[in-house]
Amino acid sequence: MTRYQHLACLLSDRIEQGLYRSGERLPSVRTLSIEHGVSISTVQQAYHVLEEKQLIVPQPRSGYFVATRKATPPVPAITRPAQRPVEITQWESVLELLSSRIEGDVIQLGSGIPDLTQPTLKPLWKIHARMAQKQDINLLNYDSLLGVAALREQVARLTIDSGCQLTADDIVITTGCHEALSVSIRAVCQPGDIIAVESPTFHGTMQTLRGFGIRVIEIPTDSVTGISLEALELAFEQWPIKAVVVVPNCNNPLGFIMPEARKRALLTLAQRFDAAIIEDDVYGELAWEYPRPISIKSLDMDGRVLLCSSFSKTLSPGLRVGWVAPGRYRERVLHMKYISTGSSATVTQHVVAEFIRQGHYLPHLRRMRQVYQRNYETLSCWVRHYFPCGICVSRPQGSFLMWIELPEAFDAVRLNAELRESKIQVAVGSLFSASGKYRNCLRLNYALPINEATEQAIALVGAAVERAMLACSSEAEASC
């Protein structure tokens, strides 16, 4: 962190802690320069950062003042989905979200795409180019159904940080995390079976379950501590649940990290009812805390946890390189992979393996964690500034996704249709529910460039939300 960034963080903390109150004049540039032993330009750069975050405002010939801000919105309350098996819907809405990816002029505030512009990705391009120049015929051929051995060895080493002790033979390479989840679900379930999921949860998991004819029970989920173990236990007692699908680290879409004690309790519950746990850890390496949080797989002694992840969120989704550590379900997972895609693309596996082997991956992760944390701080300021009061906002502990809950009567689907006219797209909350709940919620992505265009898009969304909320209030008054 540079000197001006360090000073900006220090001043930001003082503002958040109330040491500098709303509307209060901040120390002069010269005073801070003497106090912290830095140059005047360093202080000016620090103040510029705080200005961009809308924490301070300049006043001509008077200096800088703490911006007058709205109170920080509360976090969403624990969700209350219907706890019974349901058929999954929302495919048309998911298809609409996916189709917007290829529209280059749309600002995709709701996508799950990471930042692909950082300089720490340059070695990836160079490695890819060098491999193409070699014209090694093996790169054009099939590899093992398990995946390239060099990549599996590197993945096994990376999982040590999450507390696991895996070998290359414990890993199966897949075509992204989506396939890892897909083969895991088919390995433990048959059509007509029941799976428990967090609510809200990743729409890709929902649609996979729908495609296989599997019914879902949505379990209440807290935006800080994760899936309700009490509600899950009741569901286990009432229904023949085959597996639980969870995203315990940097959850999508709520952003929480499940406390370790609750991870242990979840595993104990699965053992008691002899159910599998399908653990989606695709965002786990983007946790802001260090060391990164442990996986449930690291606690697993009887092989019932299938750990799924990929490099789609940490490097690039276009690589299509994922993996699963399937435990006791290894042979079944291999069979499911064989009948779906066979062996995965060879070239990109070698590229990722070499990128990690040369020591580029961990520095890239460190940079992305810092970028996403700074982006979150800025975007949360914009949301607080441009959105109306009466909303709840998640407090992510990593990754690049934020969940916003609006009043119950709000219709985010209608909002999204309105925003598309302004070339802006958000992810509506109903995508993340089997039964179409959370229509009053939004998911936003802060991996986007933090620039004037993004701020303007957030301002337009906030204005549209405010108009819609006023309309809801007018309709409610008219009906009374």
Side-chain angles (χ1 to χ4, degrees), residues 417-432:
E418 178 186 338
L419 291 172
R420 288 300 296 271
E421 296 178 7
S422 301
K423 299 294 184 180
I424 298 171
Q425 169 262 346
V426 297
V428 298
S430 55
L431 294 174
F432 303 88

Side-chain angles (χ1 to χ4, degrees), residues 80-131:
R80 301 292 180 189
Q83 285 188 257
R84 63 180 186 278
V86 296
E87 303 293 334
I88 298 165
T89 57
Q90 309 305 312
W91 166 238
E92 290 74 17
S93 298
V94 172
L95 198 59
E96 182 183 344
L97 177 68
L98 298 178
S99 65
S100 69
R101 290 178 182 171
I102 59 175
E103 299 177 28
D105 58 343
V106 175
I107 299 178
Q108 298 183 28
L109 292 176
S111 73
I113 301 172
D115 184 346
L116 304 176
T117 66
Q118 296 298 317
T120 44
L121 285 175
K122 287 182 180 178
L124 196 69
W125 290 102
K126 293 178 180 178
I127 292 168
H128 201 293
R130 282 199 298 270
M131 286 191 176

